[in-house]
Amino acid sequence: MTEGQILLESFLQALAAGLLIGAIYGLMCVGLAMIFGIMRVINFAQGDFMMLGMYVAFFIFTGFGIQGVFGSYVGPYVAIFLMVPFLFAFGYAIHRLLITRVTGIRTVGMEGEGHYAQLVLTLGIALVLQNGGQILFGSQLVSIRTPLSSVAWELGPFWGDFVSVFLNKGRGIAAIFSVAVILGLWLLISRTRLGRSLRAAADNPEASTYVGIDVDRAYRTAFAIGTSITALAGGLLATNYPFHPFVGLEYVIVMYAGVVLGGIGSTIGAFWGGMAIGLVQQLSTLVIPMQLQNATIFVFFLLIVVLRPQGFFGRISERT
Amino acid sequence: MAYLKSLRPIFAFVAIYFGIALFIENQYYQLMITLVLVWAIFGLSWNMLSGYTGLISFGHAAFFGIGAYTTALGQIHFGLSPWVLLPIATAFGALAGLLVGIPTFRLRGHYFALSMLAYPLAMLYVFEWLGYQEVTLPLVRDHPALYMQFSDHRIYTLLALAMLVVVVMITRWVERTRFGISLISIKQNEAAAEAAGINTLAWKLKAIAVSGAIAGAAGAFYAVVLLVVTPVSVFGMLVSAQALTVAMFGGVGTVWGPIIGAAFLIPVGEILHAEFGTFIPGIQGVIYGLAIIIIIIVAPEGVFWKARDILANRRAARARREAADPAAMPCPEKSEPSPFPAAEADAAEEAVAEHTVSDEIVLDVRGVSKSFGGLKAVDNVSFEVRKGMILGIIGPNGAGKTTLFNLLNGFLKPDEGDVVVNGRSLVGRKPHVLAAAGVGRTFQVMRPFARMSVEENVRVGAFVRARNGEHADALAREAVEKAGLSEIAGRRASELTTKELRLMELARALAGQPQLLLLDETLAGLGHGEVGDVVAVVRRLVREGMTIVIIEHTMQAMVRLVDRFVVLDHGAVLTTGSPEEVTKDPKVIEAYLGKKWMAHAES
């Protein structure tokens, strides 16, 4: 096996890993895009909502006999989907109790202080969830492991039996679920009555109230959907990666990077944004030490936002 | 003198605090009482940037951590004493502030906050990767005092108090100078601050450098006190959150906020951590989180301001009770005097022809164009403004008038063309540069600094010319008088009527002693009588030699005011000329009224 073939193989391997993890990141980003892109709510605690979803799925899997009934191949996925209604309710309640006090129609047009209240409030929620999670769940790593995560499909070998790419089955299935969920969400938003009212409320909240849409309820629903989508992505991630109560911090940056990259307000764009982050993360491992993988994402995030001057709402001049 | 007087409460606080510290024997409580001060200093550092400019930082741990690691590694690898390393850490903090600020200040709002978060977290991983998981400061046996190591913990408290005093003095000094006023005006309205001649980027960079320096010093001292530095304990999320929490809890934009916040939250967090930390490990974080959630919902400005409001209300209520005699009840709404006696307005009306237009060209606009996407908002516009003239720019809604102004005063950069002010090409320069060159402007959507008084608002505009504080006061007073606002100079901008706000914006622009004023729909939204009042002020300015360019979309008030019109339609100049010529021009009538009116106009 030549030097070039080794290089090619590790590149293809990183590419494949990036595509698989990117699909999950994409789903995560779509969840945030529902909240940030469409409803203009800055949710700093999105990563911690995801962490909560991971733990809920973990306890459903281990604690409620799901593992016994469905076995360890199907069980994790059943647990992950059973977790969704809980996180939907959680998101709905958080919005109802807290977020609604600093959001809604009156803050949509505000640039400065309206958003700061959201940022700081959700930072508070994030701190409570992270540290509360540590109290409740402890800080040791857990995962919703499926045996599929330790086996792989082999693509190839190509080029004279030398180069082949391995696709981890657990990650592959997670990626397939991600794409399926996004297609379902797309249908929900574009084809149903609920989706129409969500889009209307996002597009022009004031006009929506005039045509009889309960905008506050639409926001709440969107918040809950966004929360559960991200939590679902977290659950899928947890079948391959162990997690802990502070896992949200790493992914909240991934999510914002993806949403910004995909273009604010575009749900499908957020998916591609997340995909790009996944690819960057995996491909960066070819040149940058493993331990700095997360630092790479932060730097990449900074590059994305800084290379677009004035931020994305920073339209100083057009509002004068 | 007033500056020293403003420091009196802090000296009293320091004396009392040290008095209490002297009597604390328990080592653990001694440490805590020092840590309260460290976090108060760190909170003040956060306040310097985020409290005054309103740019919320989620990443102050970056500077804190740099300070802490500078001290720890400096002592381990170079054998330097913390007495030397503390100033070095301060300098590194300032430098880090600049390095972070230069790219990050291009962002605003929540992007700024999130990006700030990325810095310390990236550094956390870098320091872990470098192998600095746990760095312990070596104990020095000979001359421990030379290495800031004291067996009597009260000395640390004393040192922390000394640092706190220095930081409070810096903060107070910033508050009282144009530094602080510039920061507060950025917080309230960045665009207006730029247009008033404030170099917002430069002030923000100064703020983050000072803030970073303070945070660096706090981090360095923290390392000395705790003797152990880990990436999570100095770069972690909780560290950044702690700076933000103590400041927001205590009160944003005041020296007392972080001190109150730290004095309350740190002991609560520490004691709970000490009592229950072994079996409830995250209790501190939960407390901080809950504190922020509650404060943002109950008193978003913080305890200090809430308490002040409550006290002020109570005092007002008592005053009202004492003045319960119905005859003595004041009737505030009605008795407000109009700053413009009708007679004066009339006199100004008659004096219309008094101003003279010279040949000197103040502003020369040459072929300026700007497109947004495919839309040509301003298309090859040229005109000249001569000294002493009033030029009216009119055009239907969407004709590109405000965009044109934004091109003239630097909010937007033209795609093509040149803007020449007094013979100097200033195209594409920033608004504060144009303000310094003598171009003042007001806004169509008014941009008052809502929490400042009229005089303070105007004073912001004066700094572009003022040599010092007194000079700014004088310029502001003069401008307030010129706009006829002397009687309401002390009122808060948020309490003013539309007319008063328009005049206040005018005064703010005047305070910078411009040669040329750009007035953007200054007459919009005013009642009939009010238009007369504002027009009277404009006329008086012109008589005194001011040159004015004014935008309106209605012709009514303009016809008798201006010397010359530029009529815009779809971004291009439709025609220019004297009011008589323009009002008879069929093209203008068509643009304003549509084709079917042409017949009426021609007949």
Side-chain angles (χ1 to χ4, degrees):
Chain A
M1 203 164 153
T2 65
E3 194 99 322
Q5 280 169 329
I6 293 174
L7 205 67
L8 179 69
E9 188 176 65
S10 43
F11 174 76
L12 288 176
Q13 192 58 57
L15 190 70
L19 285 172
L20 294 186
I21 193 79
I24 302 177
Y25 286 179
L27 185 63
M28 243 180 241
C29 293
V30 167
L32 184 68
M34 289 288 293
I35 292 173
F36 177 62
I38 299 184
M39 302 301 156
R40 289 285 189 268
V41 172
I42 295 106
N43 183 18
F44 187 73
Q46 189 79 1
D48 306 292
F49 289 0
M50 184 181 95
M51 174 274 293
L52 194 65
M54 290 161 125
Y55 274 102
V56 171
F58 173 75
F59 286 116
I60 291 176
F61 179 56
T62 54
F64 286 83
I66 297 292
Q67 194 167 13
V69 177
F70 293 94
S72 48
Y73 281 95
V74 185
Y77 301 104
V78 175
I80 289 162
F81 281 93
L82 284 178
M83 166 270 287
V84 170
F86 287 97
L87 264 287
F88 186 91
F90 174 78
Y92 201 88
I94 284 280
H95 190 276
R96 182 73 206 241
L97 294 174
L98 295 173
I99 308 289
T100 189
R101 291 165 187 266
V102 290
T103 58
I105 290 177
R106 72 200 161 80
T107 55
V108 163
M110 287 165 70
E111 227 176 86
E113 300 193 1
H115 289 306
Y116 293 141
Q118 298 171 7
L119 258 178
V120 176
L121 176 71
T122 53
L123 172 73
I125 296 173
L127 286 177
V128 171
L129 287 176
Q130 286 165 14
N131 295 284
Q134 196 188 355
I135 294 172
L136 290 176
F137 313 132
S139 48
Q140 65 276 47
L141 289 167
V142 292
S143 68
I144 312 169
R145 247 189 110 64
T146 128
L148 292 173
S149 297
S150 32
V151 284
W153 290 296
E154 185 180 349
L155 298 186
F158 313 107
W159 291 283
D161 293 355
F162 286 121
V163 180
S164 53
V165 177
F166 294 92
L167 290 181
N168 181 298
K169 286 188 184 173
R171 289 178 212 177
I173 288 168
I176 292 166
F177 272 123
S178 291
V179 174
V181 169
I182 283 165
L183 287 176
L185 185 72
W186 179 72
L187 285 176
L188 178 84
I189 292 176
S190 59
R191 297 292 159 84
T192 66
R193 202 185 151 77
L194 172 69
R196 263 205 304 281
S197 69
L198 291 183
R199 276 183 293 145
D203 197 40
N204 190 335
E206 204 177 325
S208 302
T209 56
Y210 298 149
V211 296
I213 292 169
D214 184 344
V215 172
D216 278 333
R217 205 174 130 204
Y219 278 11
R220 218 155 31 238
T221 312
F223 195 87
I225 293 176
T227 302
S228 32
I229 294 280
T230 299
L232 187 63
L236 292 172
L237 194 70
T239 58
N240 293 281
Y241 295 88
F243 57 95
H244 52 87
F246 293 91
V247 76
L249 261 183
E250 288 157 28
Y251 291 102
V252 77
I253 293 288
V254 168
M255 283 187 255
Y256 275 96
V259 171
V260 171
L261 196 61
I264 306 290
S266 161
T267 316
I268 295 304
F271 176 76
W272 295 116
M275 180 65 87
I277 305 291
L279 284 169
V280 167
Q281 187 196 36
Q282 292 301 321
L283 290 174
S284 75
T285 56
L286 295 175
V287 279
I288 295 168
M290 266 304 255
Q291 296 114 301
L292 289 182
Q293 215 182 54
N294 283 316
T296 314
I297 292 184
F298 294 134
V299 172
F300 187 58
F301 171 72
L302 285 172
L303 284 178
I304 293 169
V305 285
V306 169
L307 291 179
R308 304 270 310 253
Q310 286 112 28
F312 293 82
F313 298 133
R315 293 174 297 180
I316 306 177
S317 48
E318 288 146 64
R319 298 247 183 104
T320 48
Chain B
M1 258 2 267
Y3 171 65
L4 289 179
K5 205 174 154 193
S6 76
L7 291 174
R8 248 184 241 165
I10 201 73
F11 285 124
F13 167 81
V14 166
I16 294 167
Y17 198 89
F18 190 62
I20 295 169
L22 280 180
F23 292 101
I24 291 175
E25 304 272 305
N26 179 318
Q27 279 259 331
Y28 178 71
Y29 288 116
Q30 274 179 354
L31 176 65
M32 193 169 77
I33 205 164
T34 307
L35 285 181
V36 165
L37 298 171
V38 172
W39 293 115
I41 293 167
F42 191 33
L44 280 164
S45 146
W46 185 87
N47 184 52
M48 177 67 67
L49 176 68
S50 301
Y52 294 116
T53 67
L55 287 160
I56 303 284
S57 160
F58 274 11
H60 254 55
F63 313 130
F64 189 84
I66 284 173
Y69 269 102
T70 302
T71 311
L73 298 177
Q75 191 177 342
I76 291 168
H77 292 306
F78 303 102
L80 293 172
S81 152
W83 292 108
V84 181
L85 288 165
L86 197 93
I88 295 175
T90 310
F92 281 2
L95 188 68
L98 287 178
L99 290 177
V100 164
I102 289 167
T104 320
F105 281 141
R106 301 169 80 167
L107 309 172
R108 292 145 56 86
H110 38 279
Y111 287 107
F112 179 81
L114 283 165
S115 310
M116 288 300 287
L117 174 71
Y119 291 104
L121 292 183
M123 293 176 77
L124 192 153
Y125 289 112
V126 171
F127 274 83
E128 273 184 356
W129 173 67
L130 289 172
Y132 296 126
Q133 264 81 351
E134 191 172 308
V135 179
T136 310
L137 273 73
L139 281 176
V140 181
R141 303 219 178 274
D142 312 324
H143 310 297
L146 278 183
Y147 283 81
M148 229 187 248
Q149 292 178 1
F150 307 104
S151 50
D152 187 346
H153 248 272
R154 286 173 289 196
I155 296 175
Y156 290 116
T157 311
L158 195 61
L159 283 174
L161 277 170
M163 277 174 72
L164 181 74
V165 168
V166 172
V167 172
V168 167
M169 283 171 73
I170 293 170
T171 308
R172 277 276 191 237
W173 172 78
V174 166
E175 270 181 356
R176 301 180 72 85
T177 56
R178 65 194 295 172
F179 192 166
I181 290 169
S182 303
L183 298 185
I184 291 169
S185 63
I186 288 168
K187 177 178 185 174
Q188 301 205 354
N189 198 321
E190 191 163 348
E194 261 292 324
I198 288 171
N199 186 349
T200 52
L201 179 63
W203 287 114
K204 285 193 283 188
L205 284 174
K206 280 180 203 168
I208 202 172
V210 174
S211 177
I214 298 171
F221 189 70
Y222 180 80
V224 171
V225 172
L226 287 197
L227 294 168
V228 180
V229 178
T230 69
V232 174
S233 74
V234 295
F235 286 119
M237 180 64 218
L238 204 55
V239 180
S240 299
Q242 223 154 326
L244 177 149
T245 312
V246 295
M248 293 212 56
F249 185 86
V252 173
T254 157
V255 286
W256 288 107
I259 297 175
I260 296 170
F264 181 76
L265 289 174
I266 303 299
V268 170
E270 284 291 333
I271 289 170
L272 283 173
H273 182 65
E275 296 288 323
F276 307 108
T278 43
F279 52 100
I280 314 181
I283 189 75
Q284 252 173 321
V286 174
I287 294 293
Y288 295 135
L290 286 176
I292 312 184
I293 293 174
I294 292 167
I295 206 77
I296 208 82
I297 285 171
V298 179
E301 297 265 273
V303 170
F304 177 80
W305 298 110
K306 186 83 179 173
R308 253 171 76 129
D309 283 354
I310 290 171
L311 282 178
N313 284 343
R314 197 169 293 166
R315 216 170 294 147
R318 199 184 311 133
R320 237 177 290 133
R321 241 178 290 122
E322 279 163 12
D325 179 8
M329 283 287 275
C331 194
E333 297 301 320
K334 239 177 17 195
S335 60
E336 201 170 288
S338 156
F340 299 98
E344 195 193 345
D346 285 346
E349 192 104 14
E350 276 152 30
V352 60
E354 262 179 33
H355 73 277
T356 47
V357 178
S358 81
D359 283 344
E360 195 185 324
I361 295 171
V362 180
L363 173 71
D364 190 1
V365 181
R366 297 176 190 160
V368 165
S369 297
K370 178 78 188 177
S371 308
F372 296 113
L375 175 75
K376 275 222 152 181
V378 172
D379 187 6
N380 195 20
V381 169
S382 303
F383 58 86
E384 290 172 353
V385 183
R386 289 171 194 283
K387 193 167 167 33
M389 95 191 287
I390 308 185
L391 177 80
I393 297 180
I394 55 169
N397 279 328
K401 301 182 300 278
T402 296
T403 307
L404 179 61
F405 264 21
N406 287 341
L407 294 171
L408 297 187
N409 96 313
F411 275 129
L412 290 175
K413 202 173 181 162
D415 300 331
E416 281 168 55
D418 205 353
V419 177
V420 181
V421 180
N422 285 327
R424 228 173 108 208
S425 170
L426 290 175
V427 68
R429 305 298 295 275
K430 284 202 170 176
H432 68 88
V433 178
L434 277 124
V439 181
R441 91 167 268 186
T442 67
F443 295 94
Q444 180 184 356
V445 180
M446 286 173 287
R447 292 172 173 270
F449 304 123
R451 282 148 186 249
M452 297 188 193
S453 73
V454 171
E455 191 154 21
E456 286 165 342
N457 261 280
V458 175
R459 200 162 172 266
V460 171
F463 275 117
V464 67
R465 288 276 171 270
R467 291 179 299 272
N468 52 40
E470 285 92 68
H471 190 203
D473 287 338
L475 289 176
R477 221 170 302 124
E478 193 186 328
V480 166
E481 203 184 301
K482 273 190 183 166
L485 292 172
S486 303
E487 303 204 25
I488 55 165
R491 293 249 300 271
R492 264 162 61 125
S494 54
E495 301 166 4
L496 302 184
T497 65
T498 307
K499 182 187 87 179
E500 289 162 343
L501 281 173
R502 295 267 182 219
L503 288 170
M504 188 190 79
E505 289 221 324
L506 194 62
R508 191 168 65 200
L510 281 176
Q513 298 198 308
Q515 291 174 292
L516 171 69
L517 263 182
L518 307 176
L519 304 181
D520 193 350
E521 300 213 7
T522 296
L523 306 177
L526 297 179
H528 194 65
E530 294 175 326
V531 170
D533 292 345
V534 178
V535 164
V537 172
V538 172
R539 283 209 168 112
R540 203 163 55 210
L541 290 175
V542 172
R543 254 183 293 141
E544 289 166 9
M546 181 68 70
T547 311
I548 287 178
V549 181
I550 181 166
I551 287 180
E552 276 301 321
H553 66 266
T554 59
M555 263 195 220
Q556 257 180 345
M558 298 277 280
V559 174
R560 283 158 60 213
L561 181 66
V562 305
D563 298 305
R564 210 174 162 74
F565 270 126
V566 170
V567 185
L568 287 184
D569 191 31
H570 294 101
V573 177
L574 196 62
T575 184
T576 55
S578 68
E580 299 85 63
E581 290 163 6
V582 163
T583 45
K584 295 207 180 77
D585 192 322
K587 278 186 291 184
V588 177
I589 298 166
E590 189 190 320
Y592 261 84
L593 300 172
K595 272 210 173 96
K596 65 174 180 173
W597 289 93
M598 288 293 290
H600 291 270
E602 277 161 9
S603 64

